[in-house]
Amino acid sequence: MLPWFANDKFPLYLAPMAGFTDIVFRQLCKEHGADVMVTEFVMSDGLLREAAKVWEMVDFTHEQRPMGVQLFGSNPINMAEAARRVVDRMNPDFVDINYGCPSPKVCAVSAGSSLLRDLPLLGKIAEAVVKAVPGTPVTAKIRIGWDDQNVVAPEAGHILEAQGIQALAVHGRTRMQEYRGEANWEVIAQVAERLRIPVIGNGSVRSATDVLRVRSTSKVRGLMIGRAALGNPWIFNQIKHTLATGSPPPPVTMDERWTAMVRYAELLMDRPVRQQSGPSVTWMRQRLMAFVREFPGSRQLRRHLESANTLEDLRFLAAESRAGRLE
């Protein structure tokens, strides 16, 4: 058994989200209570080409363990070799296979959630990766199916378990739903009921109330928090505090939010690939915008952030906001 499930532990995962769950954001979430981390997904072929940017995406620190690297692709041989190289170079706690991404670009290359329409290939990829890294656990993430007429999560779960997958995260939406609507927790519960391996639920998890509901109504062994964590790394400790005490902790202050946002930007700009691309922070605007969702006057703050081009601009905005001088 994976140690983070031992002794009835109920881990909270930070979901892998392309363009958001970089090494720095993962660090913030770990500091605020996330139990298990997974990198942004990377295409196996990019790792095989030794692309520096791709390898930086799977970088992590010792403090972030237990830590997994998530791969996607449609060629079992390439997926196996990519997993082998990741294990040799990074020594992650586990390798995770992405069968859930709904992106048209990913599905166009027969990867991600498109594999839910080709369960034999889904199984072959899992088999190849498991055999390639015999000393490292392999996990997987799926959606419940391609569309409402093709909900295959229970069948896919059985195939993956049979191939040696040691834990399965299930996002409770179909590929056609993308991120719309509420997650289907009935299907997730069905998968958890039928499999021997731990099942991690994902989708529409926003609070301790959601955690209590899942734990009381299903055999799900952990939860994966995605969009609710964007710009809100505090959510993990907030959930844990509420579960432990029965009441929510004090809300995060604006000063704490500005401190986290500026630190996030500073650390991200220190990353090796970013140091080669100049002083502009415009590429991270979408990530920074997530931090101000809960700010009073967030519309005005987003407008100001749209004009911030450098770290100095961001620091200036933080100082002006703290002094009450932003309009």
Side-chain angles (χ1 to χ4, degrees):
M1 175 182 290
L2 299 174
W4 48 95
F5 292 104
N7 301 318
D8 293 324
K9 293 178 183 175
F10 193 87
L12 299 180
Y13 281 64
L14 171 64
M17 291 174 283
F20 287 98
T21 49
D22 51 70
I23 185 172
V24 177
F25 187 69
R26 293 196 308 269
Q27 179 177 331
L28 295 180
C29 289
K30 190 69 175 184
E31 291 171 0
H32 292 288
D35 295 309
V36 185
M37 304 287 202
V38 191
T39 66
E40 299 175 77
F41 74 160
V42 293
M43 191 171 189
S44 57
D45 294 357
L47 294 173
L48 299 185
R49 290 194 300 269
E50 295 293 331
K53 184 176 180 179
V54 175
W55 276 103
E56 181 162 333
M57 289 173 66
V58 299
D59 192 15
F60 59 87
T61 65
H62 177 74
E63 292 73 22
Q64 293 178 7
R65 293 183 183 275
M67 185 74 220
V69 172
Q70 189 180 77
L71 307 176
F72 78 96
S74 58
N75 184 307
I77 295 173
N78 290 356
M79 286 285 285
E81 178 59 25
R84 189 179 297 112
R85 293 190 191 186
V86 162
V87 168
D88 288 346
R89 186 180 302 192
M90 310 296 297
N91 188 30
D93 297 283
F94 60 100
V95 172
D96 191 67
I97 305 174
N98 181 297
Y99 298 113
C101 179
S103 165
K105 289 183 179 180
V106 172
C107 292
V109 295
S110 301
S113 57
S114 69
L115 288 162
L116 296 171
R117 297 190 294 179
D118 190 344
L119 296 186
L121 180 55
L122 173 144
K124 289 178 182 177
I125 290 172
E127 178 184 22
V129 172
V130 169
K131 288 182 178 179
V133 290
T136 301
V138 180
T139 66
K141 184 180 182 186
I142 64 174
R143 284 183 171 240
I144 60 173
W146 181 259
D147 55 29
D148 290 339
Q149 288 70 48
N150 296 277
V151 174
V152 297
E155 183 181 356
H158 279 299
I159 291 171
L160 294 170
E161 183 178 62
Q163 296 300 343
I165 294 298
Q166 295 192 33
L168 179 66
V170 182
H171 183 137
R173 295 181 177 88
T174 66
R175 186 272 166 186
M176 297 305 291
Q177 273 185 275
E178 296 185 338
Y179 300 98
R180 298 185 297 271
E182 291 296 304
N184 187 330
W185 281 91
E186 290 184 10
V187 174
I188 297 174
Q190 289 173 15
V191 179
E193 180 72 33
R194 298 178 187 183
L195 299 187
R196 297 184 301 275
I197 59 174
V199 170
I200 305 110
N202 177 219
S204 305
V205 178
R206 307 180 185 95
S207 67
T209 300
D210 296 323
V211 178
L212 289 169
R213 171 179 51 79
V214 170
R215 295 192 70 171
S216 64
T217 59
S218 74
K219 293 185 178 180
V220 166
R221 298 282 302 281
L223 286 176
M224 186 171 279
I225 299 174
R227 286 178 294 165
L230 295 181
N232 185 28
W234 303 274
I235 189 172
F236 300 96
N237 273 339
Q238 288 172 338
I239 287 174
K240 290 179 177 181
H241 182 280
T242 304
L243 292 176
T245 67
S247 59
V252 179
T253 66
M254 286 186 63
D255 186 65
E256 289 174 310
R257 290 181 177 276
W258 273 117
T259 298
M261 193 189 338
V262 172
R263 178 178 171 228
Y264 170 74
E266 290 173 341
L267 291 174
L268 206 52
M269 290 297 285
D270 278 341
R271 299 296 300 165
V273 169
R274 291 302 173 188
Q275 287 180 341
Q276 302 170 19
S277 60
S280 175
V281 299
T282 56
W283 59 272
M284 68 171 80
R285 269 188 191 148
Q286 189 176 7
R287 308 181 198 197
L288 295 174
M289 293 288 188
F291 279 88
V292 305
R293 285 183 307 181
E294 306 299 326
F295 278 29
S298 61
R299 180 178 300 178
Q300 290 82 359
L301 286 169
R302 288 195 298 270
R303 176 170 52 83
H304 285 294
L305 279 173
E306 288 174 356
S307 64
N309 297 315
T310 66
L311 281 175
E312 284 306 313
D313 292 340
L314 188 62
R315 295 183 186 116
F316 175 78
L317 285 178
E320 292 294 288
S321 176
R322 285 166 170 150
R325 292 193 293 265
L326 283 186
E327 297 181 357

